[in-house]
Amino acid sequence: MKYEETYKDLFTVSEEYYLAHCISSDAAMGAGIAVEFRKRFGLGSFQEHAKSNPYPIGTCQKVGRVLNLITKKVYYGKPTYQTFEASIEDMKQVAMNNGINKIAMPQIGAGLDRLSWAKNREIIQNIFNDTDIEILVCRFK
């Protein structure tokens, strides 16, 4: 694994990167960086599907270049480290099954979700440690 944190706008990384973010099983995406993901990547049909068939918590749902980590039940809820870790594990499997070798993300789980970035970083590094996947964390300036 190659791991890097940089101060950069996540949405300016090259298209060889898949972009990861955390959302709820209802795919509301009404606050935080998820709003930008919804607008930029046209996730409307993904969102519509979730209204009648919520996505399983602890999974990673790939839509185009977007890796949607389902870490909580509803948009106003908060994830646990257990659901966060399960979704990161699933993202690893999705990446390996789809030949994805570059993933960019914000400091996932640490914004509106209020988990500790230090702990989240450790979870990500531990899970991806045995891979050749490059992880790029884009921090806000």
Side-chain angles (χ1 to χ4, degrees), residues 19-30:
L19 305 182
H21 71 131
C22 296
I23 65 170
S24 54
S25 66
D26 61 4
M29 294 185 272

Side-chain angles (χ1 to χ4, degrees), residues 26-69:
D26 61 4
M29 294 185 272
I33 198 168
V35 174
E36 278 299 307
F37 272 89
R38 189 186 74 230
K39 289 178 184 175
R40 290 175 184 259
F41 296 101
L43 298 174
S45 60
F46 175 76
Q47 220 175 3
E48 278 300 311
H49 173 80
K51 287 181 181 177
S52 59
N53 193 7
Y55 298 100
I57 298 169
T59 64
C60 173
Q61 304 293 320
K62 178 184 164 299
V63 179
R65 288 179 51 220
V66 179
L67 301 172
N68 298 281
L69 303 175

Side-chain angles (χ1 to χ4, degrees), residues 1-35:
M1 171 193 67
K2 179 182 175 193
Y3 180 91
E4 180 185 353
E5 289 189 32
T6 187
Y7 288 98
K8 181 177 188 151
D9 180 345
L10 175 67
F11 299 110
T12 65
V13 300
S14 71
E15 292 200 9
E16 63 189 336
Y17 284 92
Y18 283 72
L19 305 182
H21 71 131
C22 296
I23 65 170
S24 54
S25 66
D26 61 4
M29 294 185 272
I33 198 168
V35 174

Side-chain angles (χ1 to χ4, degrees), residues 84-141:
F84 179 81
E85 187 168 347
S87 68
I88 298 295
E89 286 276 5
D90 199 45
M91 179 171 66
K92 175 184 174 181
Q93 289 309 309
V94 168
M96 293 173 70
N97 292 343
N98 288 278
I100 296 169
N101 57 18
K102 292 186 177 194
I103 300 172
M105 63 185 71
Q107 290 177 304
I108 55 175
L112 295 175
D113 286 339
R114 300 184 183 217
L115 297 177
S116 159
W117 173 244
K119 188 163 184 170
N120 293 354
R121 175 194 299 126
E122 185 179 327
I123 289 168
I124 294 164
Q125 290 175 332
N126 287 340
I127 289 171
F128 280 89
N129 190 40
D130 64 345
T131 72
D132 292 329
I133 296 171
E134 178 183 325
I135 304 289
L136 177 64
V137 176
C138 297
R139 301 176 69 159
F140 295 110
K141 291 184 177 183

